[in-house]
Amino acid sequence: MVAHNSPGKGHAPQPAAMSVSDSAMDMLTLVANETTISRAQLARSLKLAPSTVSLRVNELMEAGLVVETGEGSSTGGRKPRSLQLNHRAGHVLVADLGSRHVRVGMMDLAGTLLATESAAVDVATGPEATLTAIAAMMDSLAAGNSSGLLRGVGLALPGPVDFAAGWVDSPARMPGWHRFPIRDWMSAHFNSPVFCDNDANVMALAEHALRQNSEDHPKKPVNTLFIKAGAAIGCGLVANGEVYRGSTGTAGDITHVRVKAAGERACTCGNFGCLETIASGSAVVADLVAKGVEVSNLTEVVALANMADALATTSVRTAGRMLGEMLCSIVNFANPDHVILGGALSQVEPYVAAIRSQLYEGCHPLATKNLTIEKSIAGPHAGMIGVGLLSLRELLRTNVLVPQLDEPGHQPAATPSRG
């Protein structure tokens, strides 16, 4: 059973995260990013002496983070042993929070989801009630799945996230959440590093990474633009493999851009004429209700459109065209090589076709010359996969995976920033 260290639960605290030498962390990062790699390859890549590599590799093996398995290829002489990340050396817990639901999961250090659960929640109940429910789900999931130490926690959130502070800032659909210390609250519960980001950002990271590692997708992305088309609209950008957040965390927040076609329609953000009011799932539901169609949520709309209902199909296609017009400016400016469509509305082909048509019609020919426009391959797990991968990256980047080793010269590092 995995022990989570929540205040008041009587759990023994986990060892404080300490760092070893920078070279050991560089090696761990290389091992984590390669299927197999030898000590000799590490020495060449890092320009270190073989003796130094052996010492640092032994440190990582003693810490339980690296294992030596099988034999690699040889260019002459004895075949070298291959090094791999020990996928069972721990796990991260992840959650993808929506307005009305949450998905939680457990991910191993290889980035594989080991178990998932979902439940109905209402973010309008406030942060403490919602986070308490999420933490309880995580505790239950981890208790039933043994996978070593808890290394970190990741949260995908449906609002603008200040990544450094670990909270949402001025979210339109999350009353009571403005600057609530989400990261610190969860960190106190789990006694573990916690990372928070916008859901569209981490979904973009998931799609980017899955295509990088998929043999079914020979064209590897460099810059990926992800569109989450659900009840609201989200947008995330991965540039050169890194999530682009902008200076205040609002990069990609196109849902509240004012557009002429929206006129003076009131938006959830308190403004008028936002893209959300004409191109989102909520807008489609409202449009159909106004026309006398008996629908109460986006799931019902998707079902109607996929059964070729004329009114539903027309409304969905119109929303897709409006979103596509807005995306033309984004694609011309960012010039991504992949545009990925996710969220509930991406399951409706007329919506996807309308966006694709607008991009090819409205963008500069050079912007679409090598552009791939596809539906999500991660599906409903995109948020969990993405925030899990983000957490693993940050754990490596901030040197918190490796515990202190009883070896001369190793000094405890200060607790790293979790932003």
Side-chain angles (χ1 to χ4, degrees), residues 19-338:
S19 71
V20 294
S21 62
D22 288 343
S23 60
M25 291 309 304
D26 290 340
M27 288 178 198
L28 183 60
T29 301
L30 277 175
V31 171
N33 290 330
E34 298 290 340
T35 304
T36 60
I37 192 168
S38 69
R39 296 182 187 224
Q41 289 170 319
L42 283 175
R44 288 194 295 270
S45 296
L46 297 174
K47 296 180 173 56
L48 294 172
S51 58
T52 301
V53 169
S54 289
L55 177 63
R56 300 299 176 238
V57 167
N58 288 340
E59 291 175 356
L60 295 172
M61 292 177 68
E62 289 172 12
L65 291 169
V66 170
V67 292
E68 219 166 15
T69 61
E71 293 183 339
S73 58
S74 173
T75 56
R78 188 175 62 181
K79 290 184 178 181
R81 299 274 286 173
S82 295
L83 299 169
Q84 293 181 345
L85 188 68
N86 182 5
H87 301 162
R88 298 182 179 181
H91 65 272
V92 294
L93 292 171
V94 295
D96 177 18
L97 178 63
S99 297
R100 301 284 181 177
H101 72 278
V102 66
R103 296 184 177 93
V104 301
M106 171 187 277
M107 176 179 281
D108 68 16
L109 298 189
T112 301
L113 281 175
L114 303 175
T116 65
E117 287 184 8
S118 61
V121 298
D122 186 352
V123 296
T125 60
E128 292 196 72
T130 304
L131 294 176
T132 297
I134 292 172
M137 289 179 67
M138 288 179 166
D139 283 331
S140 176
L141 192 67
N145 296 273
S146 178
S147 185
L149 287 173
L150 172 63
R151 299 290 186 173
V153 176
L155 295 171
L157 302 167
V161 175
D162 184 325
F163 185 73
W167 58 41
V168 288
D169 201 320
S170 307
R173 292 175 173 268
M174 303 175 72
W177 288 74
H178 175 61
R179 295 193 175 182
F180 180 86
I182 299 170
R183 181 194 62 200
D184 295 343
W185 192 99
M186 293 294 281
S187 182
H189 179 90
F190 289 106
N191 191 25
S192 173
V194 175
F195 307 96
C196 306
D197 206 347
N198 172 262
D199 54 2
N201 283 349
V202 297
M203 288 175 182
L205 182 61
E207 297 290 341
H208 185 90
L210 289 175
R211 282 169 172 77
Q212 284 284 351
N213 298 319
S214 172
E215 295 181 359
D216 296 330
H217 294 79
K219 181 183 175 183
K220 305 305 179 186
V222 177
N223 304 303
T224 299
L225 185 70
F226 178 85
I227 309 301
K228 179 191 175 187
I233 298 169
C235 178
L237 175 64
V238 172
N240 294 317
E242 298 290 337
V243 174
Y244 180 75
R245 300 183 180 89
S247 64
T248 58
T250 62
D253 191 7
I254 63 172
T255 192
H256 298 298
V257 173
R258 297 195 67 178
V259 292
K260 186 176 181 180
E264 293 300 314
R265 290 178 175 85
C267 182
T268 56
C269 71
N271 211 334
F272 297 89
C274 296
L275 179 68
E276 178 179 310
T277 65
I278 58 172
S280 68
S282 296
V284 172
V285 172
D287 178 62
L288 290 174
V289 169
K291 292 175 180 176
V293 180
E294 294 184 0
V295 292
S296 59
N297 55 55
L298 185 54
T299 300
E300 295 174 1
V301 171
V302 169
L304 282 175
N306 284 333
M307 290 189 293
D309 178 86
L311 286 175
T313 301
T314 298
S315 184
V316 165
R317 182 181 290 116
T318 300
R321 188 173 68 252
M322 296 300 173
L323 177 56
E325 287 181 4
M326 162 58 68
L327 289 179
C328 286
S329 298
I330 307 299
V331 170
N332 274 338
F333 178 78
N335 193 201
D337 44 67
H338 281 67

Side-chain angles (χ1 to χ4, degrees), residues 17-18 25 151 193 195 394-403 416:
M18 302 296 178
M25 291 309 304
R151 299 290 186 173
F195 307 96
E394 291 300 317
L395 288 168
L396 283 170
R397 184 174 295 166
T398 52
N399 284 19
V400 297
L401 273 182
V402 182

Side-chain angles (χ1 to χ4, degrees), residues 313 316-321 324 341 345-361 373-375:
T313 301
V316 165
R317 182 181 290 116
T318 300
R321 188 173 68 252
L341 304 175
L345 284 173
S346 70
Q347 301 170 34
V348 183
E349 189 54 40
Y351 188 84
V352 175
I355 294 174
R356 182 180 286 116
S357 175
Q358 286 298 130
L359 289 178
Y360 282 118
E361 180 182 333
I373 306 171
E374 294 180 334
K375 291 193 284 188

